[in-house]
Amino acid sequence: MTLLTTGDGPVVGQAGGHPILPVDAPDIQWPFVFSLDCAAIPRQATDIPLPPDGHLLFFTQSDDFGPDLNGEVMYVPAGIPVVERTSLPDDFPRSDLYLSIVPSMPDEGPDQPEHPYLNELKDVWTEKKDDIIRDGPIRIGGYPDEIQINPVEQAEEEDPGKEWILLAEWDTPVWSGALGIVHWVIPREDLAARRFDQVRISLDIV
């Protein structure tokens, strides 16, 4: 699924501005990128095991970008007293995030090598994907967009034996006009267990 800063879908999160944190939580040292209202996400919107309620907040550094980024993902369960943390800088302009449910495939199209019409399916995907996918700055789940690296495959190589999945990705300019994609990946079992300290953050650059 894709999150847009304008649209006619339901509002499911907030990009930029000040984060809304638990009253007794310490300040986060990394800039706030966006939050996701898990209860507002239809179950059919993604195949990754997001929490059924509460909020996910995504943070990462806004300068000194490198291939391995600092940052974190915080889960705030429903019912916990929260407050807008205006003492923290708002590094990115605030906007609502609107849900758009779109199909997700690898950049090159379907990847089932045993399918008898694989090449034909790839051709159709290449021709039609721009007509059926409404692109936005943030994507949740699905296949990662790739520029130079596939963050899921990279995590699987570095830490095999786990089913690594894309949690989220964010398109952002980095330096000298270059475009980057920040990826947050996590093992599926850790996402299901709400172990967000297992998230890995990386940057892919044009």
Side-chain angles (χ1 to χ4, degrees), residues 41-122:
I41 304 297
R43 294 303 98 187
Q44 72 272 19
T46 179
D47 66 346
I48 65 174
L50 292 174
D53 53 27
H55 288 77
L56 286 176
L57 288 81
F58 293 76
F59 301 83
T60 193
Q61 62 200 76
S62 61
D63 54 15
D64 295 328
F65 281 108
D68 296 311
L69 298 184
N70 293 309
E72 64 181 275
V73 175
M74 172 185 285
Y75 175 53
V76 181
I80 291 180
V82 294
V83 64
E84 183 178 12
R85 196 63 60 87
T86 56
S87 60
L88 295 176
D90 51 346
D91 293 73
F92 308 107
R94 189 197 185 289
S95 63
D96 289 334
L97 290 174
Y98 299 83
L99 176 65
S100 178
I101 301 176
V102 296
S104 177
M105 288 191 187
D107 283 347
E108 68 276 8
D111 62 351
Q112 294 79 27
E114 72 282 357
H115 198 289
Y117 300 108
L118 178 64
N119 291 332
E120 290 84 349
L121 290 171
K122 286 179 178 288

Side-chain angles (χ1 to χ4, degrees), residues 6 13 19-20 26 34 44-45 53 74 85 89 93 106 112 143 161 187 202 206:
T6 61
I20 297 176
F34 74 97
Q44 72 272 19
D53 53 27
M74 172 185 285
R85 196 63 60 87
Q112 294 79 27
Y143 291 92
S202 62
V206 171

Side-chain angles (χ1 to χ4, degrees), residues 49 162-163 187-195:
K162 298 180 179 179
E163 183 189 356
R188 181 179 290 273
E189 63 182 26
D190 289 324
L191 175 56
R194 317 295 179 242
R195 293 190 289 262

Side-chain angles (χ1 to χ4, degrees), residues 134-158:
R134 192 173 179 190
D135 199 16
I138 297 167
R139 291 166 294 281
I140 306 295
Y143 291 92
D145 282 349
E146 300 177 45
I147 301 174
Q148 300 186 55
I149 62 168
N150 182 310
V152 172
E153 293 179 355
Q154 184 179 60
E156 289 173 342
E157 291 173 0
E158 296 173 352

Side-chain angles (χ1 to χ4, degrees), residues 5 8-9 24 45 47 57 97 129 155 167 177 181:
T5 53
D8 51 10
D24 58 353
D47 66 346
L57 288 81
L97 290 174
K129 65 179 180 179
L167 176 57
I181 305 176

Side-chain angles (χ1 to χ4, degrees), residues 170-186:
W170 169 50
D171 294 341
T172 179
V174 281
W175 55 77
S176 301
L179 175 66
I181 305 176
V182 176
H183 296 105
W184 291 265
V185 300
I186 188 173

